[in-house]
Amino acid sequence: LIKNVFLTSEKKIKRKMKEIVLAMRIDNYLETQVEKENPDISSKDKQKAVKEKILEMYMNYVFLGNNAYGVEAASNGYFGKKAKDITIFESTVLASTFQLPSSYNPYRNVDRLIGAIHVAYAEDKDAEIGTWVAEEAKKKFIEALDQSDKKISRSGNGVSDWLVSRGDFSFEVDGKEYDVTYTPGRKDYVLSRMYEDGYVDEAQVKQAVKDGLWYQFKAARVDIAAPHFVFWVQEFLKNS
């Protein structure tokens, strides 16, 4: 929380000392708040309550890309809805962006974020594939998921491995054969962990994958009041 919200990620002793001091102050402050809310709370329950407040702070202030700080802002920015209303697929998107918001940006690196179906003409891998064929490949991919007898492993990258195996097939359109492969995204690794820990079942995993195939993110938009002044301040701070 301290490193991601209040400090930079530089690896220096001075920064580490600041992190320790701030962590102690925040912990003491939250303990005081918990005791005020519940004077008779046990030591064990107090520690649990403090951890929950720390998690709440992190969720409210963490940077999730595209000028969104906190899950509520990110939910509105990416999906156009409140955090309490997001789907399992949308929750995996947010969880995927926590560590590396730029690398898993849904507007610039969507395939890296949610995975991608690749289609190639069997007789000429470099031939251009039409939109209709690409859409047909998605439908065939869904059929492969629904008809699969292979169970998803609850260990390791079970969901990702299962999707790769289900997404390796061929199909014909107008007498032409096309080969399909699936490259998992960060959201598939998040789904693997959620499935492994029992937060979602196999049906929910399948639905989350399907939701991502045709998903349209809310159009990116950043409103800046007095943009010339904002950019001048940024440049001033950079050169100071």
Side-chain angles (χ1 to χ4, degrees):
L1 172 65
I2 300 298
K3 183 177 69 175
N4 290 316
V5 176
F6 299 108
L7 300 174
T8 65
S9 58
E10 61 177 349
K11 296 181 179 180
K12 292 184 178 181
I13 296 178
K14 185 177 180 180
R15 187 209 59 79
K16 188 64 178 178
M17 294 301 295
K18 287 181 179 179
E19 182 179 342
I20 294 172
V21 172
L22 284 172
M24 292 175 63
R25 288 182 177 178
I26 289 177
D27 193 64
N28 290 334
Y29 170 77
L30 292 177
E31 280 192 11
T32 302
Q33 292 297 110
V34 169
E35 289 171 352
K36 285 182 178 180
E37 294 170 3
N38 190 350
D40 300 323
I41 193 170
S42 66
S43 177
K44 183 178 180 180
D45 289 340
K46 181 169 66 175
Q47 290 179 355
K48 181 180 179 182
V50 168
K51 288 181 180 179
E52 289 176 350
K53 285 184 176 294
I54 290 174
L55 177 60
E56 182 181 353
M57 287 179 64
Y58 182 76
M59 298 289 277
N60 285 333
Y61 292 103
V62 65
F63 179 62
L64 294 172
N66 291 284
N67 206 37
Y69 287 86
V71 295
E72 194 66 50
S75 296
N76 181 63
Y78 292 141
F79 318 128
K81 62 176 70 172
K82 293 183 178 295
K84 66 181 181 66
D85 298 324
I86 63 175
T87 65
I88 291 175
F89 165 73
E90 290 165 341
S91 71
T92 64
V93 169
L94 293 185
S96 297
T97 60
F98 268 68
Q99 190 173 13
L100 297 170
S102 296
S103 296
Y104 301 113
N105 186 301
Y107 302 115
R108 295 194 297 270
N109 300 313
V110 65
D111 289 350
R112 186 185 296 178
L113 171 64
I114 67 175
I117 295 175
H118 306 283
V119 189
Y121 180 37
E123 295 183 7
D124 184 359
K125 301 295 184 182
D126 297 324
E128 186 174 347
I129 301 299
T131 302
W132 188 84
V133 174
E135 290 296 303
E136 190 67 18
K138 290 182 181 181
K139 296 176 183 178
K140 296 293 183 182
F141 179 62
I142 288 177
E143 290 178 8
L145 299 184
D146 290 336
Q147 297 172 5
S148 174
D149 293 327
K150 183 178 179 180
K151 293 294 183 181
I152 304 174
S153 172
R154 286 193 180 273
S155 60
N157 296 317
V159 173
S160 298
D161 295 340
W162 181 74
L163 290 173
V164 170
S165 66
R166 297 305 89 194
D168 185 5
F169 61 89
S170 299
F171 70 100
E172 285 191 7
V173 175
D174 296 332
K176 294 183 178 180
E177 185 174 344
Y178 296 90
D179 297 327
V180 177
T181 55
Y182 181 81
T183 300
R186 177 67 179 174
K187 80 102 172 51
D188 297 319
Y189 293 103
V190 172
L191 270 175
S192 294
R193 184 60 184 271
M194 292 174 68
Y195 183 66
E196 180 181 353
D197 292 343
Y199 291 111
V200 293
D201 58 30
E202 191 165 305
Q204 290 172 314
V205 168
K206 290 181 179 180
Q207 188 59 53
V209 173
K210 293 175 185 178
D211 289 346
L213 292 179
W214 283 280
Y215 196 85
Q216 294 293 320
F217 288 94
K218 181 182 176 183
R221 181 181 178 184
V222 178
D223 293 323
I224 301 178
H228 295 294
F229 177 72
V230 171
F231 295 141
W232 177 83
V233 171
Q234 288 179 334
E235 190 66 23
F236 174 79
L237 292 173
K238 185 190 302 182
N239 296 326
S240 297

